[in-house]
Amino acid sequence: MEVVKIKNLDVIVIGAGQAGLSMSYYLKQENIRHIVVDAHDQVGDSWRKRYDSLVLFTPRSYSSLPQLDLEGNPVEYPSKDDVANYLSIYAEKFDLPIKMNTEVISIKEQSNQKIVITSQATYHAKIVVVATGPFQTPFVPKMAKNLDSNVYQVHSSKYKNPSELNRGTTLIVGAGNSGLQIATEIAKHKKVYVSEGRKRKVLPKKILNKSIFWWFEKLKISDVSNDSKIGQLIRNNDPIIGKEHRKYVKSGQIIQKKRLDKIQGNNVIFENKESLEIDNVIWCTGFCFDYSWINISGVVSNSGQPKHKRGISPVKGLYFLGLSWQHTRGSALLLGVSKDAKYLIDKIKKDLLAVI
């Protein structure tokens, strides 16, 4: 591996998704010397590689980064490819310093420097911003190993479309936004079962012909912080956005089941003791954090969660960006991540002055 020491590099941003691009935009505005590194082949691949029917629940008018609107009808909802292409265009338009095909292997600290070892080179910088987002390592329950080998199983992060499924019964485990969107897609062709761990409120995408996010903005819900009582209440009862699945529930094409309790071969048992023979399982069970590559003590909790206060870690010169509820509900979304990036810029500038 080539070893590169860049003495004049101020900041390394890890991740070229919406969080990393937002951070890079503001760093460049402040003339702060930096690079963005990402393991993917192209900017936008983290969106481009997700399931074919993925559509955002935020309209285009609420799906843009600083100083560049997402093209198209502002009230329509962009697809995952629309977002992927937009991110590529954004990086090119602002000539952001990005190095793709660069996987971060580890970060360690030495004196006032952060040493970032990657698959391409080793970099030295004063500041590191971890902008890898909330979708890192797919979580699949341990009970999945009890499935017969002839049952097709896939995590939502790897699922593409219904054509990959076996004939027969399909169970989706997890009734969040992704689970219900995938269920709606499959229900157009055949019956599908959805196991939900808990009932969640479902909000429409529009109220009185205005986006729900327009209402969130007007009612100041978008500005509610995660450490406020209202913020904690919303976070603990985070609703599903969009009711497209409802008509398929009513028609019997989507059949809702209780929490999945056990798996025995191709037979699944729910917590109310009902059982079902299945041929496919799509795990819409979310993601786990993976910061095993950060070799700096005091950054990650025993549970694997990053330690931070509004993105500022306990370790000077190390920041996080793009986490769910980093500050508000929109922190991990296109509509909110740039606000968090802008907030961190002043902190980063102070850190840089402190190490000169």
Side-chain angles (χ1 to χ4, degrees), residues 134-141 155-158 283 285-289:
F135 307 123
Q136 295 174 16
T137 301
F139 170 72
V140 175
H155 188 270
S156 60
S157 60
K158 301 295 182 184
W283 299 103
T285 41
F287 296 79
C288 299
F289 288 117

Side-chain angles (χ1 to χ4, degrees), residues 147-158:
L147 278 169
D148 272 352
S149 59
N150 62 351
V151 175
Y152 178 74
Q153 60 171 316
V154 64
H155 188 270
S156 60
S157 60
K158 301 295 182 184

Side-chain angles (χ1 to χ4, degrees), residues 65-350:
L65 297 179
Q67 300 301 311
L68 182 65
D69 291 338
L70 179 59
E71 289 186 354
N73 188 331
V75 301
E76 290 182 350
Y77 298 87
S79 70
K80 54 104 176 179
D81 289 329
D82 291 332
V83 176
N85 294 334
Y86 167 75
L87 294 180
S88 293
I89 293 167
Y90 190 90
E92 185 176 350
K93 177 178 175 60
F94 295 106
D95 193 24
L96 302 179
I98 300 172
K99 292 186 179 294
M100 302 303 295
N101 293 298
T102 304
E103 179 185 2
V104 174
I105 297 168
S106 71
I107 304 175
K108 57 185 179 179
E109 194 170 37
Q110 182 176 301
S111 300
N112 290 326
Q113 292 266 308
K114 302 292 183 295
I115 301 173
V116 181
I117 301 171
T118 78
S119 58
Q120 300 297 325
T122 297
Y123 301 103
H124 289 208
K126 300 168 186 174
I127 306 287
V128 169
V129 180
V130 180
T132 50
F135 307 123
Q136 295 174 16
T137 301
F139 170 72
V140 175
K142 291 181 180 179
M143 70 176 77
K145 66 183 180 183
N146 298 328
L147 278 169
D148 272 352
S149 59
N150 62 351
V151 175
Y152 178 74
Q153 60 171 316
V154 64
H155 188 270
S156 60
S157 60
K158 301 295 182 184
Y159 167 81
K160 294 300 180 185
N161 57 61
S163 68
E164 70 194 54
L165 301 174
N166 291 332
R167 288 187 177 184
T169 303
T170 297
L171 172 67
I172 293 174
V173 181
N177 282 295
S178 292
L180 292 177
Q181 197 170 97
I182 292 171
T184 299
E185 175 187 50
I186 295 172
K188 295 174 182 177
H189 307 282
K190 64 176 184 176
K191 191 178 294 184
V192 60
Y193 295 81
V194 177
S195 170
E196 51 187 350
R198 61 184 176 91
K199 287 287 184 183
R200 294 171 66 178
K201 291 184 178 179
V202 179
L203 299 179
K205 287 183 177 178
K206 290 184 178 181
I207 297 176
L208 299 177
N209 208 34
K210 293 285 188 181
S211 165
I212 189 73
F213 290 94
W214 184 90
W215 290 102
F216 286 169
E217 187 176 47
K218 294 301 178 184
L219 298 173
K220 305 298 183 182
I221 294 173
S222 296
D223 298 327
V224 172
S225 66
N226 62 357
D227 55 2
S228 68
K229 288 185 178 180
I230 296 176
Q232 290 172 14
L233 180 65
I234 296 171
R235 186 173 184 175
N236 293 333
N237 298 276
D238 207 13
I240 303 296
I241 307 295
K243 295 186 174 183
E244 290 82 358
H245 68 285
R246 285 280 182 84
K247 69 177 182 179
Y248 295 102
V249 173
K250 289 180 180 178
S251 69
Q253 285 296 98
I254 294 178
I255 300 174
Q256 295 171 306
K257 291 291 186 179
K258 296 290 186 180
R259 182 190 298 271
L260 182 61
D261 186 44
K262 294 179 183 177
I263 295 175
Q264 298 172 344
N266 67 343
N267 190 61
V268 296
I269 302 168
F270 303 99
E271 65 179 2
N272 62 355
K273 307 305 180 185
E274 288 185 1
S275 63
L276 178 71
E277 288 192 357
I278 59 170
D279 301 280
N280 305 280
V281 178
I282 303 174
W283 299 103
C284 297
T285 41
F287 296 79
C288 299
F289 288 117
D290 181 9
Y291 295 112
S292 58
W293 42 274
I294 301 180
N295 297 314
I296 302 173
S297 63
V299 176
V300 180
S301 69
N302 292 334
S303 64
Q305 299 277 339
K307 295 180 180 180
H308 72 96
K309 177 67 174 178
R310 202 171 173 181
I312 303 170
S313 87
V315 174
K316 193 172 185 65
L318 185 64
Y319 296 87
F320 292 94
L321 183 64
L323 300 173
S324 293
W325 279 95
Q326 178 163 313
H327 181 55
T328 66
R329 190 184 187 280
S331 286
L333 306 178
L334 283 154
L335 67 87
V337 69
S338 62
K339 294 178 182 178
D340 290 342
K342 190 174 183 179
Y343 171 80
L344 291 180
I345 281 293
D346 287 339
K347 313 299 178 184
I348 289 172
K349 287 165 67 177
K350 289 178 181 178

